[in-house]
Amino acid sequence: MTTMRPKGNIQDKLVNKAVRNIRKGGNQEDPGKSMYQPGVKLDLQRSVLLTQAYRETEGQPMVLRRAKALDKILSSMDLYIQDHERIVGNNVSTPSGLYFGIDMAWRSVRRVVDQEEGKSLLDDAGRKTLDELIAYWDGKAMSDIQQKTFTGEILESWKFENSGAMSWSHWSELGIPDYEKVFKVGVKGLMDQARARLDEIDRTVPPDYVDQKEFLQAVLISMEATLKYAKRYGALALEKAAAATDPEDKARLESIARTCSRVPEHPPQTLQEALQSFFFLHVIRYIEYSTLGIGVRFDKVFGPYLEKDLKNGVLTRDQALELLQLLWVKFHELGLIYSPSLSAIYGGVASLQAITLGGVDENGEDVTNDMTYLVLECAETMRTPEPTIALRYHDGTPRELLSRATDVIKTGIGYPSFFNDKAILPLLKKWDAPLKDSRDYAISGCVYLEIPGKNIARRAYGGIVLPAALYYALNQGKSQFTGKIVGAKTPDPRTFQSADDLMDAYSAQVEFFAKRLCTLENTSQTLYEKYLPRPFYSALLEGCIEQGKESKKFTYPSAVVNLCIMIGPTNVGDSITAVKKVVFDDKKVSMDALLKAMDANWKGYEDIRQLMVNAPKYGNDDDYADAISAQVQTRTAQAMAKAKTRFGLPCRGDGSGLSATYAAGSIIPATPEGRYSGEPFADATLSPVFGMDQNGPTAVLKSASKTSTVDSYNHLMNQKFLPQALEGNMKEVFVDYIRSWGDLGISQIQFNVVDKQTLLAAQEKPEDYPDLLVRVAGYSAYFVDLSKGLQDSIIARTDQSF
Amino acid sequence: MPLQGTVFNIQRFSTHDGPGIRTTVFLKGCPLRCLWCANPESQVLAPQLMTRDIKCTGCGACVEACSRGAIVLSVDHGRIIHRDQCDLCFECVDACLYKALSVAGELKTPESVMETVKRDEVFYRNSGGGVTFSGGEPLVQHDFLYEVLAACRQEGFHTALDTTGHAPPRVLEKILPLADLALFDIKHLDPAQHKILTGVDNKLILENARLAANITRTWFRLPLMGGVNDSEEEISRVAAMAREWGVEKISLLPFHQGGEPKWAQVGLKSPGFVGHTPDDEHVERLAQIIRDNGIVAGIRS
């Protein structure tokens, strides 16, 4: 390898493709702000090639059509190698392009490119091409098919505005391929396995012979296409090398060519080969199907290659760091187009990519190695919103690693976030995952738990707005907008004898909406299976080639496959606590008076609101409030579990609220904890309601520890610290704080380390703070890309100062 | 009647009052009247009514609640409290929905203090922290303090006593064997100056400092007022004393004007002390003098 480039140079290569959030619920916010940075374009090549392939394969089995379409794209899409690159590939044809899944949904994109907020994404010729493509896809894209399939009540409940209690969306999947297997046998090995299975079914002729045969043939086509794509890159690198005059440049390009000639076909021998092999598979997965996240356990998977290269003198540590930094630039080139309404949920997101560090191996031993520290150094120098880093914590996590992680957190980029093996391994056990599998869990994006290589492919298919369920529990299921019954018909709250009655009504509402949501999702999963099979991705998962089955035809046998975003459980906890205290225990206000006060959005009822606000609150280590909050979490999980997937697994929640906690609040009326109509909800499933935690950061953790992860779901918890809390002597205290969090068995924690003044200044003069990163939910984003309201809600999180 | 103490605050996650993550228990009552006192609500032993005018909406609920007619509403000033007529029944505090009235000082049993203190045990264990008793002057309530310190020892919690040192030596002899660390305030070495600044002479305090260092591990804490007690000569003398008596660490705590608004909140007139915060460079020089004496120097901790 050649000498190291200055780090500043690499950072300059970053492209910001994160979507700016311009919607709050259904309403426009910050008019005039465009959805993407100038220069970012909608890339139509995939759509054009996909359409061609679809036209050529009409009438053929869908799984083969999808494989042939992938082949068409990988064989013909324009390739590029930039002057700084060592790792190559992208899901689009230029560094500034946005991925567009026209086969998934096109209507909102069509609208966006005509509006002010998205006009710059296409030129007029592009708009014309788009119209031609749409002429083909109209009626064939997944969202069109879904609209035709959903009818009656199901269609009604699809529309978020009808209840405000649940939202379902047809968006991307995550999932973690079995990179370790591919590194062991190469794509070549996967193809051998597929051929062997074909031979086998020729002998045994099982009842689903035809399905299996078509699938396995599709796997082979997809894998051939993958090899073709890599070889095309190799050829391009050679061509550029021949033209290069600078010897260093020539060497760089030749090394790319060498790498692409070997991987992903063969097992990688060096770190560069391993990273390139991984990245090819990563982008092809994105090309095949609308995809988010990464999830690879980076140190566990790549650490051995680093160690070998360092030992053999193939690389210096600085050169390895540079390779990582260049890979980080590539991660940033993976952007996708969002609809304006999705921007409200995914404010500031590009591809929600997260990687995992630390944790244990299948024998329970700590996996920390040189790569763990090198990744942290890369993160510290690059300061990119993606990939975020999930650091798995267990008793054997070295203190030195926590100390290094604290250095990175101190920069304010919002990661690494910590995931507690002590809470998550028991949760996965409860969800029936074998210990060997659960020890390998990783975070693919946000806080999504997955197990690498297993047929899980989680999808944030929707969310339940829990305070809306509470609203319906207090209003007998009646809509605030139409007066129609849109929830469960629960009893008149004026007849409630205790807070338990309210809890029961709330549970009934959660169950009602969870079942609605699962009906939508289960129907939709059937449509995905039928119309969007994924032969390429299936080949990278355990069980697909072995059984000759595409990934949608069976499931990993654990509830970990499901993912429903939970919004506002601590608001519900504080609400029921306040009702118990004020209405039932102290009898200071009648239920009727409380309902009237909330109907009036507290106007003219400030005395009642103060009584509700002054009731005990979650986040203060107050057992009265914490017990009810914990009960809300477990009752919510129990209610949701009554809804089932199409494979009969219980529906499970997930702590990733994304920026939806902010958006969802906008149409929900006043709630009993004293919240006004339209105000945002607490920013994460274990976070106290803004400003309600008054006893400091130890009390917050104690409150959170009273919620059982095992009896609920995996959570997310934000803590905001001032920068001085991590400086000097305080750094050790911070590490001790994290270790105490670990001992308390709380499943997750993440930190925003930035002072209020800086945030206010950035709001005032965004042009001076283009690179200021903040933690939004399970991801980080550029602060200035967020809407004013979302910025305000981040500023409102309580500071924990030392 | 069980033994009770008057506690005006229990601060969890204290990180500047001894090692690690700590809970600091603030006891009411103090024999000193330091001009810069940051906790004037700590001076008197008895509970006091505290006001937060900024939260007062002028709703009048406190006026109705007061059986003595000690509170009146005025058009210009919200509610006015005639403290001379107040019998400290605190009915008005319960009546106030907006938390504009509160009580400084709550009677608590040792068990009740321990209930709160035990809540952060996991943090003490991971950080080498524990429990600090501060004030006021915690030795004022030495019977109560003794009980709580003994309970902490029983639990295996590390304990620290943050003291002005102004107490009879027999009280120190009773209490300090139960404290793992004494945080001993040294405010001025000149007796006349000390009297002006704190209302008391420093002879007893300095004798007790030597006594404390004999009994338990001791750190000195120096509130630094620019131009008052921050000369290099003064610090050299304190450091020499510390070295002689075996004091391990000296913490320099540069003055801040933070306590000023609290005087009015407990109905007292502020002594109007205007202090100067010594600049960082000077504080660093003083720290170096301490280190030159072979003693650990801490700034703000």
Side-chain angles (χ1 to χ4, degrees):
Chain A
M1 281 201 47
T2 52
T3 50
M4 215 184 127
R5 282 151 212 273
K7 280 162 197 156
N9 263 2
I10 297 183
Q11 249 194 330
D12 290 347
K13 311 296 179 202
L14 291 169
V15 191
N16 176 12
K17 294 187 184 175
V19 66
R20 296 162 161 184
N21 79 309
I22 54 168
R23 283 285 200 283
K24 180 184 179 184
N27 309 317
Q28 186 151 9
E29 215 186 12
D30 296 354
K33 199 167 179 178
S34 69
M35 277 179 72
Y36 292 90
Q37 298 281 342
V40 171
K41 302 286 172 201
L42 188 65
D43 195 303
L44 293 178
Q45 278 206 7
R46 174 186 181 275
S47 305
V48 169
L49 295 165
L50 181 77
T51 311
Q52 271 179 29
Y54 262 64
R55 287 204 158 107
E56 290 161 12
T57 57
E58 294 281 356
Q60 296 183 24
M62 206 61 205
V63 71
L64 285 165
R65 293 183 75 188
R66 293 295 293 178
K68 287 174 184 175
L70 184 66
D71 176 55
K72 179 78 129 190
I73 297 165
L74 295 181
S75 306
S76 315
M77 191 163 79
D78 287 345
L79 308 182
Y80 66 88
I81 299 175
Q82 298 179 89
D83 291 346
H84 59 272
E85 292 190 339
R86 290 183 185 280
I87 309 286
V88 296
N90 196 349
N91 59 350
V92 287
S93 63
T94 69
S96 57
L98 287 179
Y99 175 91
F100 169 32
I102 196 168
D103 41 344
M104 191 62 88
W106 53 266
R107 283 173 205 275
S108 62
V109 175
R110 183 72 200 82
R111 280 196 300 275
V112 164
V113 298
D114 273 349
Q115 286 165 6
E116 212 44 54
E117 54 205 20
K119 214 168 194 162
S120 62
L121 291 172
L122 278 183
D123 56 19
D124 288 343
R127 260 182 280 272
K128 191 161 162 277
T129 307
L130 180 62
D131 284 341
E132 287 161 15
L133 294 170
I134 286 170
Y136 177 81
W137 286 100
D138 192 351
K140 295 191 185 73
M142 180 48 67
S143 76
D144 295 343
I145 295 170
Q146 283 161 337
Q147 301 216 19
K148 281 187 284 189
T149 309
F150 301 158
T151 51
E153 279 200 340
I154 292 297
L155 180 65
E156 288 298 299
S157 59
W158 184 8
K159 296 182 180 121
F160 175 66
E161 297 78 18
N162 281 354
S163 71
M166 50 158 278
S167 74
W168 177 89
S169 85
H170 53 76
W171 210 240
S172 314
E173 278 189 5
L174 291 100
I176 310 172
D178 192 347
Y179 292 113
E180 282 167 298
K181 177 181 174 189
V182 183
F183 287 1
K184 206 180 287 166
V185 302
V187 164
K188 194 171 129 288
L190 298 180
M191 294 173 73
D192 289 344
Q193 204 188 351
R195 287 193 197 99
R197 176 72 189 176
L198 275 171
D199 288 348
E200 190 190 332
I201 61 167
D202 273 346
R203 283 194 308 273
T204 59
V205 197
D208 59 347
Y209 174 79
V210 175
D211 284 348
Q212 287 204 41
K213 184 149 200 171
E214 286 167 0
F215 166 68
L216 291 163
Q217 284 169 340
V219 166
L220 288 172
I221 294 169
S222 310
M223 292 296 135
E224 279 296 352
T226 300
L227 299 184
K228 239 187 270 179
Y229 181 67
K231 301 280 189 269
R232 284 180 67 214
Y233 258 109
L236 175 63
L238 272 188
E239 188 187 308
K240 288 185 77 118
T245 48
D246 177 47
E248 268 185 25
D249 224 27
K250 205 182 192 62
R252 176 182 66 87
L253 289 158
E254 283 169 355
S255 124
I256 294 173
R258 243 187 343 267
T259 305
C260 296
S261 74
R262 288 203 28 84
V263 293
E265 185 171 9
H266 303 284
Q269 300 296 323
T270 63
L271 180 62
Q272 183 174 354
E273 286 183 5
L275 294 175
Q276 182 64 69
S277 182
F278 151 75
F279 197 68
F280 274 143
L281 301 174
H282 185 51
V283 299
I284 294 171
R285 194 163 64 100
Y286 273 50
I287 290 170
E288 183 189 42
Y289 186 93
S290 183
T291 298
L292 296 168
I294 304 175
V296 66
R297 294 185 68 187
F298 210 93
D299 46 359
K300 176 172 178 256
V301 173
F302 296 106
Y305 295 94
L306 174 67
E307 192 188 331
K308 193 170 142 211
D309 279 8
L310 291 175
K311 205 171 89 194
N312 296 341
V314 174
L315 277 178
T316 65
R317 194 174 185 283
D318 281 350
Q319 288 168 333
L321 175 63
E322 192 200 39
L323 261 184
L324 288 194
Q325 290 169 327
L326 290 169
L327 176 63
W328 258 233
V329 175
K330 295 304 292 182
F331 284 138
H332 259 242
E333 286 173 23
L334 299 174
L336 77 154
I337 181 96
Y338 285 84
S339 71
S341 56
L342 272 173
S343 86
I345 300 173
Y346 294 94
V349 166
S351 290
L352 208 64
Q353 299 171 96
I355 58 167
T356 303
L357 295 179
V360 295
D361 62 15
E362 60 175 62
N363 302 315
E365 302 291 327
D366 183 61
V367 303
T368 308
N369 57 37
D370 275 356
M371 184 56 92
T372 320
Y373 292 95
L374 200 66
V375 167
L376 290 177
E377 193 172 337
C378 176
E380 196 180 25
T381 51
M382 294 298 282
R383 299 190 185 192
T384 52
E386 294 185 21
T388 55
I389 298 171
L391 181 62
R392 281 179 50 181
Y393 176 89
H394 64 113
D395 281 338
T397 300
R399 189 170 177 100
E400 187 194 351
L401 177 56
L402 296 177
S403 180
R404 269 304 278 146
T406 303
D407 294 336
V408 180
I409 290 167
K410 202 174 80 183
T411 64
I413 57 181
Y415 56 82
S417 53
F418 297 91
F419 289 79
N420 195 352
D421 283 10
K422 288 170 148 184
I424 291 172
L425 294 184
L427 175 69
L428 290 171
K429 184 177 173 204
K430 170 116 185 218
W431 288 359
D432 300 323
L435 180 61
K436 180 174 162 293
D437 290 2
S438 55
R439 277 179 170 159
D440 202 28
Y441 83 86
I443 305 302
S444 51
C446 204
V447 296
Y448 307 153
L449 280 184
E450 305 206 44
I451 300 171
K454 306 298 177 196
N455 185 16
I456 290 172
R458 301 188 100 189
R459 202 177 84 77
Y461 60 79
I464 300 188
V465 183
L466 302 173
L470 182 72
Y471 172 84
Y472 289 115
L474 288 167
N475 289 276
Q476 303 172 64
K478 205 179 290 169
S479 164
Q480 53 162 323
F481 306 111
T482 60
K484 277 197 272 185
I485 303 289
V486 295
K489 179 85 183 72
T490 45
D492 184 339
R494 292 162 194 85
T495 66
F496 289 168
Q497 298 302 306
S498 70
D500 293 342
D501 291 345
L502 177 56
M503 187 77 86
D504 290 343
Y506 160 78
S507 271
Q509 297 293 347
V510 172
E511 182 182 335
F512 176 88
F513 289 110
K515 284 182 171 166
R516 277 291 166 86
L517 198 52
C518 277
T519 307
L520 273 167
E521 175 61 5
N522 293 346
T523 310
S524 193
Q525 284 288 339
T526 313
L527 296 177
Y528 294 140
E529 178 186 333
K530 185 168 179 182
Y531 293 99
L532 293 171
R534 306 173 63 182
F536 170 83
Y537 175 59
S538 298
L540 306 177
L541 298 176
E542 184 184 276
C544 294
I545 295 180
E546 293 91 325
Q547 305 175 72
K549 279 184 176 169
E550 199 275 332
S551 63
K552 286 284 186 291
K553 290 196 183 291
F554 68 107
T555 184
Y556 181 74
S558 158
V560 72
V561 296
N562 294 315
L563 192 163
C564 173
I565 291 172
M566 308 307 292
I567 296 160
T570 55
N571 289 86
V572 175
D574 279 355
S575 291
I576 297 181
T577 301
V579 170
K580 177 173 161 61
K581 174 83 178 138
V582 177
V583 178
F584 293 109
D585 286 3
D586 296 351
K587 299 186 172 59
K588 284 192 177 165
V589 175
S590 70
M591 181 62 88
D592 189 56
L594 173 64
L595 293 171
K596 283 201 178 94
M598 290 193 294
D599 277 347
N601 195 20
W602 308 110
K603 210 170 167 199
Y605 296 93
E606 187 55 28
D607 48 345
I608 295 182
R609 185 176 166 271
Q610 285 299 325
L611 285 170
M612 303 310 277
V613 169
N614 292 338
K617 293 283 182 277
Y618 166 83
N620 296 291
D621 198 9
D622 178 322
D623 294 337
Y624 186 98
D626 295 345
I628 294 173
S629 257
Q631 203 192 344
V632 165
Q633 305 265 18
T634 51
R635 290 290 300 269
T636 301
Q638 286 163 8
M640 287 175 63
K642 292 185 181 155
K644 304 282 192 247
T645 71
R646 61 194 181 118
F647 294 107
L649 293 167
C651 171
R652 296 292 185 197
D654 183 276
S656 54
L658 298 153
S659 59
T661 55
Y662 161 72
S666 64
I667 62 165
I668 305 302
T671 34
E673 83 281 35
R675 176 185 150 276
Y676 288 106
S677 173
E679 281 190 335
F681 300 119
D683 60 22
T685 53
L686 286 183
S687 295
V689 174
F690 297 129
M692 287 300 132
D693 47 326
Q694 300 287 324
N695 287 350
T698 59
V700 174
L701 291 194
K702 288 295 299 293
S703 283
S705 72
K706 294 173 207 170
T707 283
S708 158
T709 301
V710 170
D711 293 333
S712 52
Y713 42 87
N714 68 311
H715 289 281
L716 189 151
M717 171 157 193
N718 279 309
Q719 279 281 67
K720 192 164 113 182
F721 280 87
L722 296 171
Q724 51 267 38
L726 284 71
E727 276 160 17
N729 300 338
M730 289 299 109
K731 182 176 158 186
E732 292 306 313
V733 170
F734 187 78
V735 171
D736 297 332
Y737 180 72
I738 293 169
R739 292 175 62 91
S740 307
W741 159 85
D743 283 353
L744 286 168
I746 302 165
S747 51
Q748 197 264 2
I749 195 165
Q750 58 192 29
F751 301 95
N752 248 321
V753 178
V754 59
D755 58 33
K756 200 172 181 169
Q757 279 69 30
T758 307
L759 295 177
L760 290 171
Q763 214 173 28
E764 193 70 24
K765 283 191 153 184
E767 61 278 13
D768 292 348
Y769 298 87
D771 300 325
L772 178 65
L773 276 183
V774 290
R775 190 85 185 189
V776 181
Y779 62 92
S780 292
Y782 291 117
F783 185 72
V784 298
D785 283 351
L786 307 174
S787 66
K788 167 88 168 48
L790 184 50
Q791 289 177 349
D792 287 343
S793 81
I794 288 171
I795 293 171
R797 288 175 192 166
T798 309
D799 281 328
Q800 301 290 11
S801 48
F802 284 36
Chain B
M1 178 91 173
L3 179 62
Q4 285 186 315
T6 311
V7 177
F8 74 93
N9 190 13
I10 299 182
Q11 169 90 49
R12 294 167 67 173
F13 201 67
S14 286
T15 54
H16 299 292
D17 299 321
I21 297 174
R22 312 188 71 80
T23 296
T24 301
V25 180
F26 291 90
L27 301 181
K28 237 163 116 53
C30 187
L32 273 61
R33 291 292 177 268
C34 303
L35 296 178
W36 59 83
C37 183
N39 293 324
E41 77 277 28
S42 74
Q43 294 183 349
V44 178
L45 180 59
Q48 285 165 289
L49 180 64
M50 266 189 113
T51 58
R52 287 288 310 279
D53 288 350
I54 195 167
K55 291 191 165 181
C56 178
T57 62
C59 73
C62 53
V63 177
E64 276 176 46
C66 183
S67 59
R68 315 252 311 181
I71 309 177
V72 291
L73 275 187
S74 97
V75 184
D76 306 331
H77 301 99
R79 44 122 178 79
I80 297 170
I81 296 166
H82 296 289
R83 285 178 185 269
D84 50 342
Q85 293 167 37
C86 170
D87 67 350
L88 300 178
C89 73
F90 302 123
E91 289 293 332
C92 55
V93 174
D94 292 338
C96 181
L97 289 174
Y98 300 90
K99 297 193 173 171
L101 293 171
S102 62
V103 188
E106 202 181 328
L107 287 173
K108 282 181 184 287
T109 60
E111 294 72 34
S112 151
V113 171
M114 288 307 291
E115 198 274 324
T116 307
V117 158
K118 278 187 204 167
R119 287 181 171 263
D120 279 351
E121 185 182 355
V122 62
F123 298 94
Y124 311 152
R125 197 174 64 230
N126 277 303
S127 68
V131 188
T132 297
F133 295 88
S134 184
E137 170 48 64
L139 293 172
V140 168
Q141 302 187 48
H142 54 86
D143 287 338
F144 176 74
L145 179 62
Y146 184 88
E147 290 295 319
V148 187
L149 277 170
C152 284
R153 182 141 293 182
Q154 190 107 38
E155 294 291 334
F157 297 159
H158 177 276
T159 52
L161 180 74
D162 180 15
T163 179
T164 66
H166 192 87
R170 61 173 171 80
V171 171
L172 271 84
E173 281 162 357
K174 166 179 149 190
I175 294 294
L176 283 177
L178 281 174
D180 298 302
L181 176 68
L183 304 170
F184 204 105
D185 288 8
I186 303 288
K187 286 164 176 146
H188 210 295
L189 291 182
D190 178 78
Q193 277 295 314
H194 196 278
K195 174 108 188 167
I196 294 169
L197 293 170
T198 71
V200 301
D201 185 272
N202 67 0
K203 182 159 175 288
L204 176 65
I205 290 173
L206 293 177
E207 281 169 12
N208 278 342
R210 183 200 289 257
L211 177 64
N214 258 331
I215 299 174
T216 191
R217 190 176 161 205
T218 300
W219 295 357
F220 282 169
R221 308 233 291 177
L222 278 56
L224 283 186
M225 251 71 51
V228 175
N229 61 357
D230 70 336
S231 72
E232 295 185 21
E233 193 211 334
E234 173 94 2
I235 301 305
S236 298
R237 285 177 57 205
V238 175
M241 237 163 60
R243 192 180 53 196
E244 191 191 326
W245 299 344
V247 169
E248 210 174 86
K249 176 178 172 180
I250 298 179
S251 302
L252 299 175
L253 312 173
F255 168 80
H256 63 90
Q257 198 86 43
E260 186 62 24
K262 284 205 210 160
W263 290 91
Q265 290 169 13
V266 282
L268 295 173
K269 191 173 166 339
S270 158
F273 178 79
V274 180
H276 298 284
T277 307
D279 64 56
D280 289 351
E281 264 174 52
H282 181 64
V283 175
E284 182 46 43
R285 252 196 319 276
L286 301 179
Q288 194 51 48
I289 291 172
I290 293 166
R291 287 184 211 114
D292 291 345
N293 276 275
I295 292 165
V296 178
I299 298 175
R300 293 184 192 85
S301 76

